[in-house]
Amino acid sequence: MELISEHACFGGIQGFYRHASAEIGLPMRFSVFQPPQARLGPVPVLMYLAGLTCTEETFMIKAGAQRYAAQHGIMLVAPDTSPRGTGIAGVADSWDFGDGAGFYLDATQAPWASNFRMYSYVLHELRQTILKQFPAQPDRIGIFGHSMGGHGALVLALRNPAIFHSVSAFAPIAAPSHCPWGQKAFGNYLGADQAAWQQYDATALMQGLQQPFPQGILIDQGLGDKFLTEQLMPERFEAACAQAQQPLTLRRHAGYDHGYYFISTMIEDHLAFHHRILTAN
Ligand SMILES: N[C@@H](CCC(=O)N[C@@H](CSC=O)C(=O)NCC(=O)O)C(=O)O
């Protein structure tokens, strides 16, 4: 693991790193905020998955999360949003697919399958790297994210409840099989057979839920979000949660759009939500 830069921040350390990823087959960058409490021993970890066009820097620069992570003693971890430097033809041609748009899944279709393995990268390789290299508590890990990253956080948590103990999202792509962003990504990364899409669709996963999150799921959604109706569809996830008897707090906020002004307004509540669950017992 190579240190790119380190910065003092709210009594802790904001760091940016690069490592050779076996899952991705290329170098990957990620960021970690270590709260001041990490100097004394292992602390709970909260992974954040960013949205389309973002990098490992976006959340750390724009969300204002470090103030609250330092108060609660939570480590923040953010990966990049896709492999970089694959050399695949057309990988940088659109902002909602390819570079910056890994969708936190393991692609099965050529030419994407060799490198676009963000699901396994986050679940296994990045998590293990954090546990080995930083003072992190392996049994107190939560996950959250925004938009494409909200989709990723919900999917990773619903499929791995023994690993991710708390989950929340800002304006997630809640039913990707039904929206243009999801259909474009899933069709190219996973192929035309929509049966293969279901394992990466939070609403479909909720419809077949095996193990509920008894502490609930928190979602914040701005009602001034230009992507709400066509791309995000939180009402589908809400209905699936009701059917599965999964406690869900879905807060709808008049006037807020899709960006980081919205996220930075709500971030304090998300840190408190994860802190309460991750430090129980
Ligand atoms: N280029 C697009 C806007 C892209 C955008 O809004 N990206 C969002 C995530 S969208 C879903 O995953 C984002 O977080 N952007 C970074 C930011 O700093 O806001 C367009 O032209 O509409």
Side-chain angles (χ1 to χ4, degrees):
M1 188 179 82
E2 175 194 347
L3 175 66
I4 298 171
S5 69
E6 238 177 29
H7 315 271
C9 184
F10 291 103
I13 303 167
Q14 176 63 59
F16 296 91
Y17 308 89
R18 185 186 295 112
H19 65 162
S21 167
E23 285 290 354
I24 302 293
L26 287 164
M28 286 294 287
R29 295 183 311 240
F30 62 94
S31 57
V32 178
F33 171 71
Q34 298 182 64
Q37 295 86 341
R39 281 196 289 272
L40 306 175
V43 295
V45 179
L46 184 53
M47 301 183 88
Y48 178 87
L49 307 183
L52 294 163
T53 72
C54 294
T55 72
E56 75 288 353
E57 283 189 314
T58 312
F59 169 74
M60 297 300 186
I61 293 172
K62 291 189 166 183
Q66 293 93 337
R67 175 189 297 273
Y68 307 108
Q71 285 172 9
H72 292 306
I74 290 179
M75 182 179 298
L76 299 171
V77 176
D80 200 352
T81 54
S82 76
R84 305 282 175 176
T86 59
I88 296 172
V91 72
D93 285 358
S94 46
W95 64 270
D96 58 0
F97 180 75
D99 280 354
F103 270 83
Y104 305 101
L105 52 72
D106 289 347
T108 56
Q109 304 299 301
W112 313 103
S114 313
N115 306 113
F116 279 73
R117 298 185 50 77
M118 292 298 290
Y119 179 85
S120 290
Y121 172 70
V122 171
L123 177 62
H124 301 302
E125 192 170 16
L126 180 59
R127 183 173 59 87
Q128 292 300 343
T129 298
I130 297 302
L131 294 177
K132 274 191 205 131
Q133 305 277 359
F134 297 88
Q137 290 183 295
D139 52 350
R140 294 180 193 270
I141 303 179
I143 192 162
F144 68 155
H146 170 229
S147 195
M148 175 184 73
H151 134 76
L154 291 170
V155 167
L156 277 151
L158 291 173
R159 287 176 57 176
N160 303 283
I163 290 176
F164 299 109
H165 297 286
S166 57
V167 58
S168 73
F170 306 94
I173 304 172
S177 305
H178 297 275
C179 76
W181 281 342
Q183 289 166 349
K184 180 176 180 179
F186 288 5
N188 283 288
Y189 292 137
L190 302 174
D193 179 4
Q194 296 202 7
W197 300 9
Q198 304 307 297
Q199 60 186 321
Y200 293 112
D201 184 308
T203 295
L205 289 169
M206 183 54 67
Q207 285 163 347
L209 185 70
Q210 301 293 319
Q211 187 179 329
F213 282 77
Q215 311 278 6
I217 296 172
L218 171 63
I219 294 180
D220 278 312
Q221 176 62 58
L223 293 178
D225 185 329
K226 67 179 178 182
F227 299 122
L228 174 57
T229 308
E230 190 188 7
Q231 303 284 8
L232 305 179
M233 305 180 181
E235 67 284 353
R236 288 180 182 257
F237 186 70
E238 185 178 38
C241 285
Q243 195 180 26
Q245 297 189 311
Q246 165 60 57
L248 169 71
T249 302
L250 170 53
R251 307 190 303 186
R252 294 172 166 91
H253 305 275
Y256 286 91
D257 67 19
H258 196 63
Y260 273 80
Y261 295 112
F262 165 60
I263 294 173
S264 61
T265 304
M266 307 299 160
I267 194 75
E268 180 176 9
D269 290 356
H270 284 248
L271 266 291
F273 171 81
H274 287 275
H275 173 255
R276 178 173 55 75
I277 298 171
L278 294 177
T279 58
N281 304 320

